[in-house]
Amino acid sequence: MQEFADIALTVNGDAVARRVETRQHLVDFLRIELGLTGSHLGCEHGVCGACTVRVDGAVVRGCLMLAVQADGADVWTVEGLSDTGEIADLQQAFIERNALQCGYCTPGMLLTAAEMLEAGRRMTRAEIRAFLSGNFCRCTGYHAIVDAIETAMQGRFGG
Amino acid sequence: MADPSPSVGRPLPRSAARRLAFGRGRYADDLRFPGLLHLAFVRSPHAHARIVRIDPAPAIAAVPNARVFTGADIARVCGPWQASVDNLPTLVSPPQHIVAVDRAAWQGEPVAAVVAASRAEAEDAAAEVVVEWEPLPAAAIRDRTLDADAAPAHPELGGNLSYATLIRAGDPDAALAEAAHTVEGRFSFARHTGVPLEPRAVIADYDPGEGTLTVHGSHQAPWHQQDTLSRHLGIPEHLVRVVTPDIGGGFGIKLHIYGEEIAVSAVSRLLGRPVKYVADRMESFVSDVQARDQSVSARMGVDEDGGIRGLAVDALSSFGAYAAYGRPPVNEGMMTIMMTGGPYANGHYEGRLRIAFQNKPPSGMYRAVGQPIACAVTEQLVDWAADAAGIDPVDMRRRNYWTDEACPLTTPGGIGIRRLSLGRCLDRLVAMMDYGALRAEQAALRRNGVHRGIGVATFLEMTSIGPERYGPAGAHVSTQDGATVRLEPSGAVRCVTSVVEIGQGTHAALAQIVADCLGTAPQHVAVVGGDTALTPYGGGAWASRGLTIGGEAAWRAAQGLRQNILELAGSILQADPAGLDLAGGAVCDRATREARITLAEIGRIGHFRHDTLPPGVQPELAVTRHYVPDAVPFALANGVQGSSLEVDTETGEVRLLDHWVVEDCGRIVNPLLVEEQIRGGVVQGIGGALFEECCYDGEGQMLNASFADYLVPMAAEMPDIHVGHVETPLEGTALGAKGAGEAGTVGAPAAVLLAVNDAIRPLGAQVSSLPVTPESVLTAIAAARA
Amino acid sequence: MKAPRFSYVRPESLGSALELLAEHGDEARILAGVQSLMPTLNMRLSEPRLLIDINRIDALKGISFEDGTVRIGALARHAELLASPLVAEHLPLIAAAMPHVAHVAVRNRGTFGGSIALADPAAELPACAVALDATFVLASLRGRRTVPARSFFHGLYETALAEDELLVEARIPALAAGYRSSFLEFARRHGDFALAGVCCHAHVDGAVLSDVRLACFGSEDRPLFAGAASAAAEGRAWSGDVKQAVKAALGGDLDPIGSFHASAATRLHLAQVLTGRALDRMVRAG
């Protein structure tokens, strides 16, 4: 029982070991300790989705998980998914459709959209909107984001 | 522009999007500073209270590395300020301390700044600072703040009235008395705020060696910050530098000068260390400027045939505890009474305005300032009058728009109109909506008990406000922007602009403008900005001015460089510059279009081979120009919005089905950017129409100061938004662009309000308070049944 | 907005978790999906001395079906419930509720047990448990006991759980022949906590309802079994008159609490409208 803990995990495919304050949430760990500033803090109470990261294959609110809980986990952020090219089609669609303005929500949107694509099928616009309903964007009004995700789905699943 | 261009007008993706979408944005909180300290504020839990005593000792005991600065400590470096407007001498405003001294006037007002090695530790220490309070009665209910027995927001002012004015034209009393039909309503517009996703953030770094202050911040107007920091901290202006990295949304919220930002600089100055403060979301809800917050009584009279005869509005607008410092603070209310009725031919008008203080967060300018209120009031009255006169709402509007023949004119509210395109916008909108079919579908569904509603709302959009408003007010706000355009030795181009990029994509549009002027492609033009030490002086990002003003400046600078390049080419080619042109990345023969020498060759010779030039030739391959709007006091855009929705009359739920906008922002430099400004603006307007409200109890406690309870629009409830354009270039400028950032937010609340009322009209119910909530719809329906 | 300091411990077995709970009592908090606890930590509304992370205790995981009962482990994530064929087949009420539970990222972490133990009055799962007559298994060093859902929820965030007790699992009777469920809620935005919601479960024979169990949420300080409204539908053929009787009876069952989101009267009205619609749907679904 202690206020610090040693953790070892993989982040974007790289092994990482650190001593962390037990109170530090995952996104502060990624941002402050690892310099992965692509994941953002928008509310720190689990509503806005700006801190969305992938943990053990599923998106989570990075502000609603302690870094110490990620001990042993496989964590991916927008930086890693950019490097592997996994979301290259989504990113290209976002860019071409101007589905981002200030860009602050974009990493979280992309991570959530990437999980949407794992369903392996095209979704209706209403389904896409429902899936995105936990990610706040103040700039775009969402329409262009839905367009971009539709484009990526079309590219992957045809139709 | 003289030369028809290959790039302006095209929907080109912007290069910054590529960076941001790869997680390579660099926002203020992402930056690293050696020796950085973190600052957290102790804030008032009371809306109004006297500070009896502050004891920092427990904080230091808990966190030995912490330092606590009370308001009095800060005041030793930076005294209080006072909002004032030179040409509104009757404006009443109290002095405001950077950090509260003796008395806090809203829940959330900073009362002490705590610095420690990390944000968490600063918060640990802040939680231990003991403040002894003596609560005071609070002015917390907008419509009662001017009552005789209302608690004073500031005891020393004697009353809560800050400002009152009256606009009158023609004889509105007689016109309204003689009208065949008179409609009236009492409207309420809730207090809300801008909620940029990136909270306000600032890192101040005072270097005691050189006496310089460098501030990195998420701010829309770095020059305004530079001015304020210099004057209030007593640091010579050339030693103050404000840098704006990537900015995660602004919408007006980051336009203002906040005590917090100044306090951070003050603390940095006191400690000689870099100090960072990033507002957390809970703080944002009680410290970001808040807006709207008006009640408006309005009356319109029309002829038998629907012609508008007269209009009268009476607005009570709230400031919060203070008006945001440094800019004319009356704008929300003034825009309401100036813009109401604006699109419609009418000579008889009265607009009355009172602005009052409340013990709530300071008021400031949020996207579209006052115009959504004016638009909603006007358009609802027009709809009601159409109903009273038995005229279709679309016909009603077409009948009453100012005609082309009447222009130029000044509206009774005082808005100068050169030229509008409302009729063309309306025609386009009606076609896009398939208005007739929508009405038929609505009638058919109504027979099945389904209540669809259609709203069509006209808007004027004031953008790119020039010096006439800020100069006489005495505000240290520059309404010009500047650009330096430089040819690099490789033939690539750099544009250094004062325009602040906050996500709108203005920098990308500047690249298009510059590229066209220089006959090159936008990808060969790099645009940089966001540093008051390095770019030309300018205004910043507000009032949708980036392209209208900053774009014009860049155009002028690029034209200057173009001329210099042609002259240099003339020297090199021994040709008459008048016979040369720029195209395809080269200097070409104006007549034959044959390439004569590339820009790269010009760059190489102009920068490296002066030895080969004729004597006396001084290549000038960088040109700086500034532009201040001189042809018109502001750029007035206009348009029409349509909303289709369905009301569940049992639950009060409003389900948005579709939304349309036809907008005329003059010359469109990049439709991809314009249309997303429109859509984003619409959704913020829908936020105000259906969701957003800062809820307060009678003691001034904000009840919903979290993202879970302050409802912003999310994807699932928003409709698709169809955008069409009419292009009427702005007169008196080369580019012809007007602003486009306000339009969506101006017109959407009206379109949605009208559609809701259209849906529930058969039940005899109407609503006139925004946001429209399920409860307010149910209440209106129940009242109509009773 | 950083959490205050706390100690953290991650027991690997139920036994050691219970020992820690017994030792630290109300100074400790159980950490499961943390989707509700974490915001209160970040806001410093909650300042526990010790967090006991139960996420690695295998005994608390999984969803299984045996002898007509579905067992849902406390650590079953919302996403697991949403994707579970067992839940879809045997607990269609919960399957219908799950898409309304928050958003994808929250569902990926949030747990069934966390939702039950937190007892948010506007949450879906506690009300589902009440309507389905779930039984909760609670464990402490003193032993195990079972508590029926209807007597588990005591008030706002208050439950039958003692300081030293941990919710281990729920046992929920699977959908029996002739039974149907219906779920409706009304929220301002998709995934928000509901202003009103209703869970219906009943035997349906033609239009005749029996063993009617209506549970409302979002109205009061806890999920509520609507006894009078359930009785008003009991044994009767569903009709407009019965609907009116159910709605009227619901007015006696519920005494909603108003807030800035909606007044008490609006919440009652919405509960009545939703209950009528949910029963309409349930009968029609045959």
Side-chain angles (χ1 to χ4, degrees):
Chain A
M1 275 188 281
Q2 50 194 10
E3 293 175 359
F4 290 88
D6 293 319
I7 61 172
L9 64 161
T10 63
V11 178
N12 296 331
D14 294 331
V16 168
R18 287 286 192 285
R19 168 158 291 196
V20 296
E21 265 197 291
T22 53
R23 63 167 159 176
Q24 185 172 54
H25 57 62
L26 179 58
V27 172
D28 267 354
F29 171 72
L30 295 169
R31 290 176 50 81
I32 298 171
E33 307 299 330
L34 305 186
L36 293 168
T37 54
S39 308
H40 301 136
L41 289 177
C43 74
E44 285 187 288
H45 52 281
V47 188
C48 77
C51 63
T52 306
V53 294
R54 184 190 286 174
V55 177
D56 292 334
V59 291
V60 306
R61 306 285 206 213
C63 73
L64 296 189
M65 183 169 176
L66 297 169
V68 63
Q69 288 188 283
D71 185 24
D74 180 31
V75 177
W76 287 86
T77 69
V78 68
E79 290 94 340
L81 296 187
S82 298
D83 289 347
T84 64
E86 181 193 322
I87 57 170
D89 54 346
L90 269 173
Q91 288 166 317
Q92 190 58 28
F94 268 62
I95 292 159
E96 284 177 6
R97 184 59 192 81
N98 198 31
L100 65 152
Q101 290 179 29
C102 80
Y104 202 77
C105 75
T106 309
M109 286 285 178
L110 289 168
L111 272 277
T112 303
E115 185 149 322
M116 219 181 303
L117 289 169
E118 280 171 18
R121 63 176 179 87
R122 292 187 65 181
M123 292 184 182
T124 64
R125 291 178 75 81
E127 285 177 307
I128 295 171
R129 286 180 177 277
F131 207 104
L132 287 179
S133 64
N135 288 75
F136 175 49
C137 170
R138 191 52 152 178
C139 296
T140 65
Y142 305 105
H143 181 127
I145 294 173
V146 177
D147 285 351
I149 293 171
E150 266 193 324
T151 300
M153 283 179 172
Q154 195 170 345
R156 287 205 200 178
F157 313 124
Chain B
M1 300 170 82
D3 202 9
S5 49
S7 153
V8 165
R10 285 168 54 198
L12 301 178
R14 60 205 175 98
S15 58
R18 201 165 293 281
R19 185 168 54 78
L20 300 174
F22 281 72
R24 297 296 301 268
R26 291 291 176 262
Y27 304 89
D29 193 30
D30 301 339
L31 306 175
R32 295 287 177 266
F33 298 85
L36 182 67
L37 297 172
H38 297 259
L39 189 149
F41 287 101
V42 178
R43 294 177 180 275
S44 172
H46 302 283
H48 199 188
R50 229 166 262 299
I51 302 165
V52 179
R53 184 176 68 95
I54 299 178
D55 181 5
I60 308 301
V63 183
N65 74 49
R67 296 278 301 268
V68 177
F69 299 87
T70 64
D73 295 332
I74 302 286
R76 280 193 274 279
V77 188
C78 180
W81 57 47
Q82 197 159 6
S84 69
V85 183
D86 290 354
N87 53 353
L88 297 180
T90 60
L91 178 79
V92 173
S93 76
Q96 177 185 3
H97 284 281
I98 312 308
V99 170
V101 174
D102 297 336
R103 184 173 63 91
W106 84 87
Q107 176 221 350
E109 181 170 2
V111 294
V114 181
V115 179
S118 72
R119 170 76 186 205
E121 285 190 308
E123 289 187 29
D124 291 343
E128 301 299 323
V129 173
V130 174
V131 185
E132 192 181 321
W133 296 98
E134 179 190 323
L136 298 168
I141 301 169
R142 180 221 297 148
D143 293 343
R144 294 196 203 149
T145 41
L146 293 180
D147 292 355
D149 59 352
H154 300 284
E156 74 273 20
L157 294 185
N160 290 326
L161 185 70
S162 173
Y163 182 67
T165 191
L166 180 72
I167 296 174
R168 234 177 125 82
D171 188 349
D173 300 332
L176 287 164
E178 290 162 9
H181 305 282
T182 311
V183 292
E184 61 187 314
R186 186 174 162 74
F187 299 83
S188 172
F189 298 87
R191 192 176 186 83
H192 55 117
T193 182
V195 202
L197 184 52
E198 181 210 19
R200 288 187 290 116
V202 61
I203 304 98
D205 188 0
Y206 182 75
D207 176 347
E210 283 197 288
T212 55
L213 175 67
T214 304
V215 172
H216 287 75
S218 184
H219 204 269
Q220 295 170 241
W223 288 275
H224 197 190
Q225 273 206 326
Q226 174 184 296
D227 170 81
T228 309
L229 289 164
S230 167
R231 285 190 294 117
H232 287 272
L233 291 175
I235 303 170
E237 189 163 13
H238 65 291
L239 301 182
V240 177
R241 174 185 181 192
V242 179
V243 181
T244 53
D246 287 322
I247 295 175
F251 317 114
I253 300 308
K254 296 174 183 169
L255 168 59
H256 298 91
I257 299 298
Y258 289 86
E260 284 104 328
E261 273 99 320
I262 308 302
V264 172
S265 294
V267 169
S268 176
R269 180 156 199 203
L270 287 166
L271 297 178
R273 291 271 296 272
V275 179
K276 171 156 84 172
Y277 167 70
V278 181
D280 67 36
R281 186 56 58 185
M282 314 297 282
E283 294 183 287
S284 297
F285 278 117
V286 297
S287 64
D288 283 1
V289 292
Q290 298 180 349
R292 313 295 189 250
D293 204 2
Q294 285 190 34
S295 51
V296 181
S297 298
R299 201 145 62 98
M300 176 180 280
V302 298
D303 291 335
E304 283 295 352
D305 66 354
I308 294 170
R309 290 294 308 273
L311 176 60
V313 295
D314 181 356
L316 172 59
S317 172
S318 163
F319 260 172
Y322 300 95
Y325 168 71
R327 300 179 142 257
V330 296
N331 287 1
E332 188 99 59
M334 287 305 295
M335 289 292 267
T336 300
I337 63 167
M338 291 176 73
M339 298 292 277
T340 297
Y344 299 106
N346 168 43
H348 304 289
Y349 179 72
E350 179 179 290
R352 181 171 178 238
L353 170 66
R354 291 168 298 156
I355 304 176
F357 290 110
Q358 297 183 95
N359 293 110
K360 292 179 185 170
S363 298
M365 279 164 264
Y366 164 52
R367 196 174 198 168
V369 191
Q371 298 176 91
I373 296 173
C375 181
V377 168
T378 304
E379 294 301 302
Q380 187 61 75
L381 290 175
V382 169
D383 252 28
W384 285 338
D387 187 48
I391 299 171
D392 179 86
V394 166
D395 296 336
M396 180 77 176
R397 286 175 170 78
R398 200 174 271 121
R399 177 170 312 188
N400 280 291
Y401 287 151
W402 292 113
T403 60
D404 288 347
E405 294 71 43
C407 296
L409 60 89
T410 298
T411 70
I415 304 298
I417 294 177
R418 288 294 184 90
R419 197 150 54 117
L420 297 173
S421 60
L422 293 173
R424 281 182 290 150
C425 290
L426 185 65
D427 290 344
R428 184 85 212 284
L429 187 91
V430 163
M432 281 170 59
M433 292 174 78
D434 202 353
Y435 181 77
L438 265 188
R439 283 286 179 209
E441 183 188 31
Q442 176 188 39
L445 286 168
R446 228 165 238 180
R447 288 191 286 275
N448 301 330
V450 175
H451 289 261
R452 290 269 173 96
I454 301 164
V456 173
T458 308
F459 63 89
L460 303 181
E461 176 195 13
M462 187 187 283
T463 75
S464 314
I465 293 156
E468 291 180 20
R469 178 167 301 181
Y470 293 93
H476 286 218
V477 170
S478 181
T479 54
Q480 60 81 38
D481 268 300
T484 298
V485 178
R486 182 169 90 212
L487 186 72
E488 303 288 27
S490 67
V493 179
R494 217 181 272 280
C495 172
V496 185
T497 175
S498 66
V499 171
V500 177
E501 173 64 59
I502 59 172
Q504 335 84 311
T506 315
H507 283 190
L510 294 182
Q512 290 176 256
I513 293 166
V514 169
D516 283 3
C517 290
L518 298 177
T520 186
Q523 63 266 30
H524 301 310
V525 182
V527 179
V528 295
D531 187 332
T532 62
L534 300 179
T535 76
Y537 198 90
W542 39 274
S544 297
R545 59 199 298 285
L547 280 190
T548 316
I549 299 173
E552 198 73 8
W555 185 87
R556 290 178 177 218
Q559 287 297 332
L561 178 60
R562 171 194 170 86
Q563 195 53 41
N564 290 358
I565 289 170
L566 293 179
E567 282 170 15
L568 181 59
S571 300
I572 296 168
L573 301 170
Q574 300 195 326
D576 178 2
L580 300 173
D581 200 357
L582 291 177
V587 176
C588 66
D589 186 280
R590 181 174 287 281
T592 67
R593 312 309 290 169
E594 183 192 344
R596 300 286 306 275
I597 182 170
T598 62
L599 284 179
E601 193 61 6
I602 295 281
R604 187 185 68 82
I605 296 170
H607 287 291
F608 301 145
R609 293 306 303 271
H610 304 105
D611 57 301
T612 65
L613 294 172
V617 173
Q618 287 284 349
E620 199 68 67
L621 294 180
V623 172
T624 299
R625 292 282 186 276
H626 289 81
Y627 176 72
V628 63
D630 52 357
V632 286
F634 44 80
L636 192 67
N638 65 251
V640 187
Q641 297 198 23
S643 168
S644 166
L645 52 77
E646 188 170 308
V647 176
D648 182 331
T649 57
E650 281 194 312
T651 63
E653 181 187 20
V654 174
R655 192 159 62 90
L656 301 170
L657 301 174
D658 249 322
H659 200 101
W660 298 266
V661 184
V662 175
E663 193 256 5
D664 184 348
C665 62
R667 159 102 61 165
I668 294 173
V669 175
N670 183 333
L672 202 54
L673 304 178
V674 168
E675 290 180 9
E676 296 322 308
Q677 280 299 303
I678 302 291
R679 290 194 173 96
V682 163
V683 164
Q684 287 192 17
I686 290 172
L690 296 178
F691 294 104
E692 294 183 44
E693 175 172 13
C694 300
C695 300
Y696 282 87
D697 69 11
E699 275 71 54
Q701 290 285 321
M702 188 167 171
L703 301 172
N704 61 337
S706 84
F707 244 145
D709 287 326
Y710 182 94
L711 306 182
V712 289
M714 301 298 276
E717 289 72 34
M718 291 303 109
D720 279 347
I721 298 158
H722 315 279
V723 182
H725 305 286
V726 168
E727 285 190 68
T728 310
L730 179 65
E731 294 170 29
T733 65
L735 202 56
K738 307 169 193 172
E742 326 290 322
T745 307
V746 176
V752 170
L753 174 69
L754 269 54
V756 169
N757 281 331
D758 187 51
I760 61 177
R761 184 172 290 118
L763 302 172
Q766 295 286 277
V767 291
S768 55
S769 289
L770 266 56
V772 175
T773 65
E775 184 159 284
S776 70
V777 171
L778 290 171
T779 303
I781 291 172
R785 288 204 175 120
Chain C
M1 209 165 93
K2 308 300 178 191
R5 289 196 174 90
F6 48 74
S7 294
Y8 169 91
V9 60
R10 189 167 62 216
E12 301 283 336
S13 73
L14 182 58
S16 54
L18 296 178
E19 281 170 19
L20 287 161
L21 260 184
E23 184 184 346
H24 296 279
D26 70 348
E27 294 205 325
R29 292 292 300 271
I30 295 292
L31 190 158
V34 235
Q35 301 301 288
S36 300
L37 176 60
M38 194 81 186
T40 68
L41 291 172
N42 287 351
M43 294 176 188
R44 296 186 182 231
L45 298 172
S46 170
E47 305 209 4
R49 295 275 299 280
L50 173 67
L51 289 184
I52 304 170
D53 184 349
I54 59 170
N55 279 280
R56 310 249 170 134
I57 303 176
D58 289 337
L60 301 175
K61 294 180 180 173
I63 303 168
S64 59
F65 173 69
E66 201 176 343
D67 295 337
T69 299
V70 180
R71 172 201 164 272
I72 303 179
L75 278 181
R77 312 251 178 224
H78 296 321
E80 283 179 74
L81 268 66
L82 187 62
S84 165
L86 290 177
V87 170
E89 182 183 351
H90 299 298
L91 302 175
L93 181 68
I94 290 180
M98 289 318 298
H100 299 273
V101 177
H103 313 281
V104 57
V106 172
R107 291 196 296 263
N108 284 341
R109 286 299 293 175
T111 63
F112 177 84
S115 177
I116 298 296
L118 177 69
D120 189 298
E124 292 84 359
L125 285 170
C128 289
V130 168
L132 296 174
D133 277 336
T135 301
F136 299 129
V137 178
L138 316 184
S140 70
L141 288 184
R142 295 173 288 126
R144 288 194 173 216
R145 63 179 179 132
T146 58
V147 178
R150 274 194 220 175
S151 47
F152 179 80
F153 300 102
H154 290 178
L156 190 64
Y157 305 120
E158 286 179 14
T159 69
L161 279 164
E163 272 176 15
D164 63 344
E165 273 183 318
L166 185 69
L167 173 66
V168 173
E169 64 192 34
R171 294 176 186 159
I172 308 179
L175 189 74
Y179 279 78
R180 291 180 202 160
S181 301
S182 183
F183 176 93
L184 273 183
E185 72 167 47
F186 185 84
R188 294 288 299 279
R189 302 175 306 181
H190 185 90
D192 280 358
F193 280 119
L195 298 185
V198 62
C199 300
C200 309
H201 189 71
H203 185 270
V204 187
D205 183 2
V208 179
L209 304 175
S210 57
D211 192 15
V212 180
R213 282 172 269 158
L214 301 175
C216 293
F217 59 100
S219 300
E220 300 203 16
D221 63 353
R222 73 195 84 173
L224 201 92
F225 176 70
S230 300
E234 186 68 31
R236 301 180 67 181
W238 186 243
S239 68
D241 286 346
V242 176
K243 179 157 51 170
Q244 285 314 313
V246 167
K247 286 184 173 183
L250 201 59
D253 283 323
L254 298 183
D255 186 9
I257 300 166
S259 76
F260 56 88
H261 283 310
S263 68
T266 295
R267 286 173 192 266
L268 175 59
H269 170 85
L270 290 172
Q272 289 171 320
V273 169
L274 295 179
T275 302
R277 288 182 178 181
L279 289 170
D280 275 342
R281 275 195 197 184
M282 197 168 81
V283 173
R284 269 206 317 271

